[in-house]
Amino acid sequence: MGKKCFVIMPFSKTTDVHDENYWTEFFNIIKRIMESNGYSCTRSEVGPYKLFSNIVANIENSDVVVAVLTDFNSNVWYELGIRHTLKTGTIMLLQDDQSPPFDIKDFGIIFYKESLGLEQRIQIQIEDYLTKMDVEAHDSPVISALNNKVYNSVEKRLEEMQKLIWSLVDESSSTHKRVKSNIKEGQLKVLWVDDYPINNEAIMNLFKSKNVQFDIAISTDQGIELFQRESYDIIITDMGRGSESDAGLSLLKELKDLHCKTPVIVYASYTAIKKYGNEARQLGAYTITSGVKSIISSISEILQV
């Protein structure tokens, strides 16, 4: 097994019901699930030989960390914070009668109920998360916050690039004017289907200054509903949305069934394109890209702005 899973969890008694034997059996459930999905699986153990540096190494070097938050063990939360700081790829489990703090509640927690069939239900949910992680992981509030800072910096640079790009366009427009003959100024419309639309705000702002209108959908159903109501010059879709790692393919299939003639751009991560790119092309995607420069160029080419 080449992939590693490290389990952060209590190993001693936390309540009268959740004693050491309970946690050992709970770990064995997780271990069976992860091994059936190709992961070797270990956890923290009691003993003076288990130095803090070894725990940190396991937290950092594991492909996936499963954090069992039930009963709010302080060591578990401390180690979860380390993982969230170092990298993505974390699955959190919490008993359904306990409430997570607001800091992490929006970053995906599997709630479970202790009853017959527990292992099967947890397995289904963990495997859904593993599939989602193969495409894009959005499970660390720390990394998300840091990325937002980077995003804000990039956005400022894009604003400067925007001024430069359009000044160059304006200078050359008298000799190389490109106008779409069948669309009047102010009527260009783009449908963007993405469950994280804030990630695309800088690109949309670039084109909004040229009277391009963007309609946003955060699901395939919303996208299809808008497509059937409105007329669009471009449709842009991401690939993974929620627990559906190939949601972009679902959208392409439905658009194909509706005999859509509008160019569809797939704008997704490199990993998602590598996994689903060929099928997206077969379903009629106009272009597939993970680069900001490339998608700006594609939108400009299609809209002729």
Side-chain angles (χ1 to χ4, degrees):
M1 295 182 184
K3 297 181 288 185
K4 294 174 59 178
C5 170
F6 185 65
V7 181
I8 302 171
M9 65 182 302
F11 47 76
S12 57
K13 180 178 179 179
T14 54
T15 68
D16 289 340
V17 177
H18 298 161
D19 57 13
E20 184 175 343
N21 289 333
Y22 170 88
W23 289 121
T24 298
E25 179 53 33
F26 200 95
F27 168 70
N28 289 333
I29 288 174
I30 298 172
K31 189 172 186 287
R32 287 193 293 269
I33 293 171
M34 297 308 296
E35 287 182 346
S36 70
N37 283 278
Y39 290 81
S40 61
C41 190
T42 58
R43 68 164 175 164
S44 301
E45 296 177 1
V46 184
Y49 54 86
K50 198 67 178 181
L51 300 176
F52 178 69
S53 59
N54 297 129
I55 295 175
V56 173
N58 279 317
I59 291 171
E60 181 179 18
N61 297 329
S62 295
D63 300 282
V64 172
V65 163
V66 176
V68 184
L69 309 181
T70 300
D71 296 343
F72 289 74
N73 178 274
S74 57
N75 287 335
V76 170
W77 285 96
Y78 184 70
E79 293 170 19
L80 174 64
I82 294 172
R83 174 67 176 192
H84 276 166
T85 303
L86 293 175
K87 64 194 297 186
T88 58
T90 304
I91 298 173
M92 296 177 284
L93 302 179
L94 183 63
Q95 194 169 309
D96 65 351
D97 59 353
Q98 301 181 20
S99 300
F102 74 93
D103 308 73
I104 65 166
K105 67 179 182 180
D106 294 328
F107 287 85
I109 298 177
I110 295 175
F111 292 93
Y112 67 90
K113 183 176 182 179
E114 293 183 359
S115 61
L116 292 175
L118 171 64
E119 182 170 342
Q120 289 76 14
R121 290 195 301 275
I122 292 180
Q123 179 165 357
I124 291 170
Q125 294 183 77
I126 285 179
E127 289 177 349
D128 283 343
Y129 270 75
L130 292 175
T131 301
K132 185 177 178 181
M133 285 179 188
D134 285 341
V135 181
E136 289 179 295
H138 298 284
D139 52 50
S140 168
V142 178
I143 292 175
S144 179
L146 293 175
N147 283 345
N148 282 338
K149 288 184 178 180
V150 174
Y151 168 79
N152 290 334
S153 174
V154 171
E155 186 178 34
K156 289 180 181 179
R157 293 183 184 182
L158 282 174
E159 287 176 358
E160 295 302 316
M161 289 171 58
Q162 174 183 345
K163 294 176 183 177
L164 176 61
I165 290 170
W166 294 131
S167 66
L168 293 173
V169 170
D170 291 340
E171 287 177 10
S172 62
S173 62
S174 59
T175 57
H176 189 65
K177 190 173 183 179
R178 301 176 67 190
V179 180
K180 197 166 185 179
S181 60
N182 62 334
I183 298 178
K184 297 179 181 179
E185 185 177 3
Q187 292 184 322
L188 299 171
K189 292 186 68 175
V190 176
L191 171 60
W192 203 318
V193 186
D194 192 319
D195 56 345
Y196 287 95
I198 192 173
N199 294 340
N200 312 312
E201 190 172 347
I203 298 173
M204 288 189 285
N205 287 339
L206 181 70
F207 288 96
K208 284 178 181 178
S209 67
K210 288 297 178 180
N211 295 319
V212 177
Q213 176 185 331
F214 288 85
D215 286 349
I216 306 300
I218 62 172
S219 69
T220 297
D221 288 344
Q222 288 183 3
I224 294 299
E225 182 181 351
L226 285 170
F227 169 74
Q228 291 178 314
R229 284 203 329 242
E230 305 287 340
S231 177
Y232 294 100
D233 303 289
I234 301 178
I235 298 171
I236 305 172
T237 180
D238 59 355
M239 186 55 71
R241 289 192 290 277
S243 61
E244 189 179 1
S245 61
D246 60 349
L249 297 182
S250 299
L251 179 66
L252 285 166
K253 289 174 184 175
E254 292 202 36
L255 290 172
K256 186 176 182 180
D257 290 342
L258 293 170
H259 307 289
C260 171
K261 302 300 182 183
T262 305
V264 180
I265 299 174
V266 176
Y267 182 47
S269 68
Y270 173 79
T271 305
I273 291 173
K274 186 177 180 181
K275 188 171 184 179
Y276 299 113
N278 288 336
E279 190 172 353
R281 291 184 183 92
Q282 292 171 5
L283 289 169
Y286 176 86
T287 190
I288 302 170
T289 181
S290 61
V292 173
K293 180 179 178 181
S294 177
I295 192 170
I296 289 175
S297 176
S298 297
I299 295 171
S300 300
E301 175 186 335
I302 296 170
L303 299 182
Q304 298 186 16
V305 298

